[in-house]
Every structure is written in C-alpha cells, then in structure tokens.
Amino acid sequence: MYFCSMKSLYLDIKSLLTERQMDEGESKAIALLLLEKVCGMTTTEVLMNAPKGEAHRQVLIQMAERVAKGEPVQYVLGEADFCGMSIKVRPGVLIPRKETEELVNWIVESIHPNHQLSTVNCQLSTVNCQLSTVNCQLLDIGTGSGCIAVALAKRLENAEMEAWDVSEVALQVAKENAERHGVRVKVNRVDVLSTLNPQPSTLNRYNVIVSNPPYICEEEKEEMERNVLEHEPSLALFVPDKDPLLFYRRIADLGCSMLAKDGMLFFEINRRFGKEVVKMLQEMGYRDVELRQDMFGNDRMVKAIKPQ
C-alpha cells in the first residue's frame, strides 16, 4: 500500500490556504484541524510525519478548497468544538464562539457558587463536570445549535432544560446535538418578538433564562469577515440599527413574569452596548445587574436578578 506523507499533506493544505490570502497562523490552525478531524491525528503525529492512507488526501484537499473560498471550516467539517464537546453545525445555525463558553461557565458558577468552573475545567468529561441540581429549570431563548442548552444540561445533573428558537432548522440541529450528547432538552418553536403574553405554564417557572440573541447592528456589516456575512444566518446575527436592544428588552420583559423568585437572567451582548443593557435592566427593576468582559477584554455578558 502507498502511504502519503502527513507532513507533506499538511504543508500542501497550508500552502493552498495561504495562497488565497489567508494569514500564516490561521492557515496552520485550519490545516491541523482538518487533519485532526478527518484523520484522527494529533499535531505531534502530523509534524512527526506519521504515515496515513493516501485516501484522505483528496477529501482533505477538497475541504481545504472550500475553506479557501470562504466557507467556515466548521460548516465544512459539520461540527464545532464547544465546552469540550463536538457540536453539530450546518448552514442555517450560528457557529458557537469561544466567548459563549464563558457565559456557560458563569451560569454554572452562579447556580453552584462554591464550584468555580474555569475555561480549562469546562473541557473535562461530563462525569467530572456534572453537578447535582434538583428542581432547577432553565430556558435558552434563541438556542441555535443548542450549544448552550446542551452544555448546561451536561453539567447540571437533574436540571430541566428547555430551548426556544424561531428557526425550524435550528431546532432540528439542537435536537440532534442533545441526542448526540445523551441529554434531555425540550425544544419549542417560539418567536419571542411576536409572543404577546407568556403562557400560564411558564409563569414564575424558570430559575435561569439565558439568551445569546441577534445583537449585531446592520451598520456593523462593513467590519465583519466575509465568510460570516456570506455563510452564517443573518436571522441569528442582526438587529435594526435603530433598536439594538430589541431582543434584550423583550426577553427581559418576559423574564419579569417567567422567572421564579430570585431567578437569574443572563445575556451575551454586543460589546458596544454593555452600559445600555445594564441601564435598561436596572430601569426595569432587575437587581444586582452585573456586566462582565470576555477573554478579549470586551463587554460581553450581563447577569441580573428578577425584580422583587
């Protein structure tokens, strides 16, 4: 059998990406990621030139060509890494970001204040990360791929997890991710902007409501990367320039009725509007409103306690 050189293949993929104006560091990272996911190889194995079957070459080069043309590597692979899990993604659902892992950690820390989960600890196995949570009910609004809901369900044993989205594609992917990771997540199609009043069954029900809603203004498109604009769903990304707090206001309004006593509301936010979100929540009567920065030093997350 003929064996190809993995190091040679790695260099070919990296060159292909670099030739399409991708910077050296990103080309290297994507080349190694493709080899890891498709061939099951570690970085060390690639650089040590471990032999693998030539059959992978054609598939990997085709994948690299798609990435070079601007398609996100996560869509090419059909998966994205999130909190130590492989989350299924496809066009029509937002690709999970590293910053959102910090939001998941903050929620777990807030429910179990004596159990501080760092980003490193978030990569541990489900067995090591699970915390007993009796009668804790959580709702993820705008769940997308279900990454937040699934990650919380894996870490919070016995918690009841519900997820809403307006997109049927997103709800199907969220279901598949829950099944993939062996957790129960109840998914429902709900458009929070057109839901006039909460259902009686949701009143004072949830201990936690979390949302990573659309928060990028249309005017920010010029600053965004082409592969995001051309491939990720605009429905999950953008809000009108004239009303950037549209989803936060609506979800916070629902939270006033749907959160249980001392229930917690968590948002991932546009870094431009941290102070505005905090002020809005305070004016609505929310207590202990806290703004946190992400790993890059940007205002990114807000936590608030239900009004008295």
Side-chain angles (χ1 to χ4, degrees), residues 49-67:
N49 214 21
K52 285 283 180 177
E54 173 69 10
H56 291 299
R57 173 176 285 273
Q58 184 177 357
V59 171
L60 286 161
I61 294 297
Q62 289 173 347
M63 286 182 161
E65 287 279 4
R66 290 170 62 187
V67 175

Side-chain angles (χ1 to χ4, degrees), residues 12-13 15 28 59 62 87 98 121 163 174-175 177 254-255 285 296 299:
D12 288 346
I13 295 171
S15 283
K28 177 180 178 180
V59 171
Q62 289 173 347
I87 292 292
K98 294 295 292 183
N121 288 335
K175 286 180 184 177
N177 278 317
L254 291 173
F296 305 110
D299 290 345

Side-chain angles (χ1 to χ4, degrees), residues 4-290:
C4 70
S5 159
M6 280 295 103
K7 188 171 182 180
S8 172
L9 180 52
Y10 157 70
L11 292 173
D12 288 346
I13 295 171
K14 190 159 74 75
S15 283
L16 188 156
L17 296 170
T18 305
E19 287 169 5
R20 302 294 178 89
Q21 283 71 55
M22 188 175 291
D23 68 60
E24 182 79 13
E26 188 176 8
S27 298
K28 177 180 178 180
I30 289 176
L32 290 172
L33 179 64
L34 291 173
L35 286 162
E36 174 194 343
K37 297 296 185 181
V38 176
C39 302
M41 298 192 72
T42 64
T43 299
T44 300
E45 288 174 327
V46 172
L47 300 180
M48 291 294 290
N49 214 21
K52 285 283 180 177
E54 173 69 10
H56 291 299
R57 173 176 285 273
Q58 184 177 357
V59 171
L60 286 161
I61 294 297
Q62 289 173 347
M63 286 182 161
E65 287 279 4
R66 290 170 62 187
V67 175
K69 291 176 182 177
E71 190 173 351
V73 66
Q74 294 88 348
Y75 287 159
V76 172
L77 289 168
E79 63 181 68
D81 292 330
F82 185 80
C83 282
M85 303 179 297
S86 171
I87 292 292
K88 182 174 182 178
V89 293
R90 65 171 183 250
V93 298
L94 197 67
I95 296 168
R97 266 60 173 185
K98 294 295 292 183
E99 301 94 313
T100 308
E101 293 186 2
E102 298 179 77
L103 181 63
V104 170
N105 287 345
W106 195 11
I107 295 169
V108 175
E109 291 170 8
S110 298
I111 293 173
H112 292 277
N114 295 324
H115 190 98
Q116 300 294 313
L117 278 180
S118 68
T119 303
V120 174
N121 288 335
C122 191
Q123 308 302 320
L124 295 174
S125 68
T126 305
V127 174
N128 291 334
C129 268
Q130 271 192 343
L131 301 170
S132 180
T133 308
V134 181
N135 299 323
C136 185
Q137 301 198 49
L138 301 92
L139 172 64
D140 176 20
I141 296 179
T143 194
S145 66
C147 61
I148 292 176
V150 172
L152 288 172
K154 283 180 75 72
R155 284 160 178 76
L156 300 171
E157 186 182 18
N158 299 322
E160 294 185 24
M161 191 75 229
E162 189 171 347
W164 293 357
D165 207 289
V166 69
S167 164
E168 292 288 358
V169 172
L171 292 175
Q172 181 58 43
V173 173
K175 286 180 184 177
E176 292 171 5
N177 278 317
E179 292 171 1
R180 170 182 281 198
H181 293 284
V183 295
R184 294 185 62 183
V185 177
K186 181 181 179 182
V187 301
N188 285 302
R189 187 177 185 276
V190 178
D191 181 353
V192 295
L193 296 183
S194 63
T195 301
L196 298 180
N197 295 299
Q199 295 298 313
S201 61
T202 67
L203 297 178
N204 305 310
R205 175 177 179 180
Y206 300 102
N207 303 101
V208 172
I209 294 177
V210 56
S211 183
N212 178 17
Y215 60 62
I216 302 173
C217 294
E218 295 282 346
E219 65 185 12
E220 295 179 80
K221 284 184 176 180
E222 293 182 1
E223 305 169 13
M224 297 176 65
E225 295 179 2
R226 182 173 62 87
N227 64 338
V228 175
L229 285 172
E230 294 181 357
H231 294 278
E232 296 199 59
S234 58
L235 181 68
L237 291 170
F238 297 108
V239 289
D241 293 338
K242 294 181 179 179
D243 194 5
L245 305 188
L246 173 66
F247 284 93
Y248 302 119
R249 187 185 312 108
R250 179 56 183 150
I251 294 167
D253 184 52
L254 291 173
C256 290
S257 301
M258 292 165 51
L259 282 168
K261 182 181 177 181
D262 297 326
M264 295 178 285
L265 180 66
F266 289 87
F267 286 137
E268 181 170 325
I269 64 167
N270 186 325
R271 63 185 181 181
R272 298 171 59 194
F273 301 110
K275 293 179 181 178
E276 289 83 350
V277 173
V278 168
K279 181 180 179 183
M280 179 200 74
L281 291 170
Q282 290 172 335
E283 290 176 347
M284 295 177 73
Y286 278 86
R287 299 173 284 133
D288 301 328
V289 182
E290 182 180 352

